[in-house]
């Protein structure tokens, strides 16, 4: 009898030991969600890659969060060192371009209106909201696959989120319907208890502390080559182009007519002497090498030493983005 009892205890012990350390999907999600939701602040730094056709744009990204809707996302292009900042505080949502001392101000629900690959709350929300989300173990990490919500880019349909044994996000990959990675975030460090200064999330403080260099502040006063979109809607063609002088630079107006008429304005960048805040309709939108302002019928952005404005009364947002994304930094034939 004693031998049977001892054997039974051993069997129970083996099962208990073998069960230790095996976290279920719900356990990992609960732990990760609790860490993020209970956090009063966090700071994440890493690298972000965005693929557009055959081009890859790489950024150094720093993400700061403080409870009560304070977000600051700094994106520095690794090729030209140009920095843009998406900021949310009690006064609104901003896209700040320090090198030209200019900012767009939005009345926006960002970052809550769609998926955000670099924000921990958004990543977890996508997993929790997908009833068919899956979890796999890979090299000692947990990999979650879930759907995403990018209403302006319906080709982005799912994400793979890698979480380590300490239930910290290490990598996020957003894929299209062919399982091709289009956006990749690699997390280098996460600080769960950062200390931010009193005015850290104020736009004036950002402009006072950001570093600029000669390359960032370089201006151009003339347009040597007009840049034409490589993609235009079927049944639409260039009708006219006009070059105008403006204070300290030039502006080109391209008018396209046909089934999907639109207007494309290109103008040289001018660095403002004082911080200029421009009230803007729409939402912050990141594509190619920049963050722009996307509304129902227009898209505004800056790239290199040029600013662009694309508007149409009949094209939808996806069509605007397709045309804008086809505008290369190298001039092409009409």
């Amino acid at each position: 009898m004693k031998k049977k009892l001892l054997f039974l205890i051993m069997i129970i012990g083996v099962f208990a030991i073998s069960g230790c350390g095996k976290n279920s999907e719900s356990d990992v999600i609960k732990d990760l969600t609790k860490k993020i939701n209970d956090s009063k602040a966090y700071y994440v730094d890493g690298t972000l890659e965005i693929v557009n056709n055959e081009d890859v744009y790489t950024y150094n990204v720093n993400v700061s969060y403080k409870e009560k809707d304070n977000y600051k996302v700094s994106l520095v292009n690794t090729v030209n060192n140009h920095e843009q900042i998406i900021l949310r505080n009690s006064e609104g949502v901003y896209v700040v371009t320090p090198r030209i001392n200019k900012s767009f101000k939005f009345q926006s629900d960002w970052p809550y209106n769609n998926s955000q690959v670099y924000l921990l709350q958004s990543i977890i929300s996508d997993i929790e909201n997908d009833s068919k989300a899956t979890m796999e173990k890979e090299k000692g990490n947990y990999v979650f696959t879930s759907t995403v919500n990018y209403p302006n880019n319906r080709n982005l349909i799912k994400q793979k989120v890698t979480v380590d044994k300490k239930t910290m996000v290490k990598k996020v990959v957003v894929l299209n319907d062919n399982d091709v990675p289009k956006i990749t975030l690699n997390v280098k460090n996460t600080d769960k208890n950062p200390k931010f200064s009193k005015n850290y999330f104020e736009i004036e403080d950002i402009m006072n502390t950001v570093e600029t260099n000669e390359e960032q502040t370089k201006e151009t006063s003339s347009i040597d080559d007009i840049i034409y979109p490589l993609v235009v809607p079927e049944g639409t063609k260039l009708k006219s182009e006009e070059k105008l002088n403006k204070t300290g630079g030039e502006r080109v107006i391209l008018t396209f007519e046909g089934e999907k008429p639109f207007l494309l304005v290109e103008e040289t960048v001018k660095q403002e002497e004082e911080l200029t805040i421009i009230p803007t309709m729409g939402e912050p939108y990141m594509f190619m090498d920049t963050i722009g302002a996307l509304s129902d019928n227009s898209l505004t952005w800056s790239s290199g030493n040029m600013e662009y404005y694309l508007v149409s009364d009949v094209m939808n947002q996806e069509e605007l983005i397709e045309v804008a994304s086809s505008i290369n930094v190298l001039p092409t034939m009409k």
Side-chain angles (χ1 to χ4, degrees):
M1 183 66 181
K2 289 183 179 180
K3 289 183 178 181
K4 289 183 178 181
L5 182 60
L6 180 60
F7 179 74
L8 182 60
I9 292 173
M10 289 175 63
I11 292 295
I12 293 173
V14 169
F15 278 105
I17 293 171
S18 62
C20 290
K22 288 190 175 181
N23 293 327
S24 67
E25 178 178 337
S26 61
D27 290 335
V28 178
I29 287 295
K30 285 179 180 178
D31 193 7
L32 186 57
T33 301
K34 181 175 174 56
K35 282 184 178 181
I36 294 172
N37 290 342
D38 290 352
S39 175
K40 295 183 179 181
Y42 65 74
Y43 178 84
V44 173
D45 73 89
T47 59
L48 183 69
E49 289 185 354
I50 298 178
V51 178
N52 179 58
N53 296 323
E54 295 182 359
D55 297 318
V56 180
Y57 302 95
T58 305
Y59 301 84
N60 291 322
V61 57
N62 298 315
V63 181
S64 305
Y65 164 75
K66 186 178 179 181
E67 63 180 347
K68 298 184 179 178
D69 287 347
N70 292 291
Y71 295 90
K72 176 184 172 185
V73 181
S74 168
L75 295 150
V76 179
N77 189 306
T78 59
V79 173
N80 54 27
N81 208 35
H82 289 171
E83 179 181 23
Q84 285 184 289
I85 297 165
I86 310 176
L87 174 71
R88 182 187 178 101
N89 58 25
S90 59
E91 296 180 354
V93 175
Y94 303 84
V95 170
V96 187
T97 306
R99 67 188 175 90
I100 56 175
N101 218 8
K102 186 180 291 187
S103 172
F104 294 120
K105 182 179 180 181
F106 303 83
Q107 293 301 319
S108 167
D109 290 331
W110 184 93
Y112 307 114
N113 46 5
N114 54 266
S115 297
Q116 308 291 341
V117 68
Y118 35 67
L119 296 182
L120 300 181
Q121 292 94 330
S122 176
I123 296 167
I124 298 308
S125 178
D126 284 338
I127 297 174
E128 288 187 311
N129 291 335
D130 184 1
S131 60
K132 297 182 180 179
T134 62
M135 183 187 82
E136 299 178 3
K137 293 201 69 174
E138 184 178 292
K139 297 180 180 179
N141 297 318
Y142 306 99
V143 180
F144 289 90
T145 302
S146 70
T147 56
V148 290
N149 175 33
Y150 288 94
N152 298 317
N153 191 340
R154 301 188 185 282
N155 290 324
L156 304 179
I157 62 168
K158 66 181 179 181
Q159 67 180 2
K160 288 185 177 291
V161 182
T162 301
V163 179
D164 65 16
K165 293 179 179 179
K166 296 180 180 179
T167 58
M168 296 302 298
V169 174
K170 302 303 294 180
K171 185 176 183 179
V172 184
V173 181
V174 182
L175 306 104
N176 64 12
D177 51 2
N178 293 318
D179 281 346
V180 176
K182 306 299 287 185
I183 306 174
T184 301
L185 172 71
N186 287 293
V187 177
K188 294 181 180 178
N189 299 292
T190 301
D191 185 349
K192 295 177 288 184
N193 296 293
K195 302 299 180 183
F196 300 123
S197 63
K198 181 180 179 181
N199 298 320
Y200 183 84
F201 293 93
E202 299 298 324
I203 190 168
E204 291 80 7
D205 187 71
I206 290 172
M207 296 305 298
N208 289 333
T209 57
V210 70
E211 294 183 2
T212 59
N213 58 39
E214 185 177 350
E215 183 180 8
Q216 285 180 305
T217 56
K218 181 181 178 182
E219 297 180 10
T220 180
S221 60
S222 63
I223 300 175
D224 295 327
D225 296 293
I226 299 173
I227 303 175
Y228 303 92
L230 295 173
V231 175
V232 296
E234 186 176 352
T236 303
K237 62 180 181 179
L238 180 66
K239 176 185 178 182
S240 65
E241 59 184 69
E242 183 180 9
K243 182 179 286 189
L244 306 170
N245 292 323
K246 66 168 191 170
T247 303
E250 291 183 333
R251 175 183 294 120
V252 170
I253 302 174
L254 302 177
T255 302
F256 290 77
E257 66 174 9
E259 296 181 14
K260 296 289 182 71
F262 64 90
L263 192 71
L264 174 62
V265 179
E266 304 172 6
E267 60 182 58
T268 53
V269 167
K270 181 180 183 298
Q271 185 182 19
E272 303 293 337
E273 294 182 3
E274 296 181 354
L275 172 62
T276 301
I277 299 177
I278 304 170
T280 306
M281 298 294 292
E283 302 287 338
Y285 181 74
M286 186 170 185
F287 76 116
M288 297 196 302
D289 64 338
T290 189
I291 306 167
L294 176 66
S295 72
D296 289 338
N297 66 345
S298 69
L299 180 57
T300 305
W301 74 99
S302 62
S303 179
N305 294 318
M306 296 289 292
E307 291 183 304
Y308 301 87
Y309 177 67
L310 176 65
V311 62
S312 173
D313 290 332
V314 297
M315 292 168 62
N316 60 37
Q317 289 184 333
E318 290 188 10
E319 290 170 326
L320 289 170
I321 293 168
E322 185 177 18
V323 172
S325 298
S326 75
I327 298 174
N328 281 337
V329 296
L330 295 176
T332 60
M333 297 300 292
K334 301 179 188 178

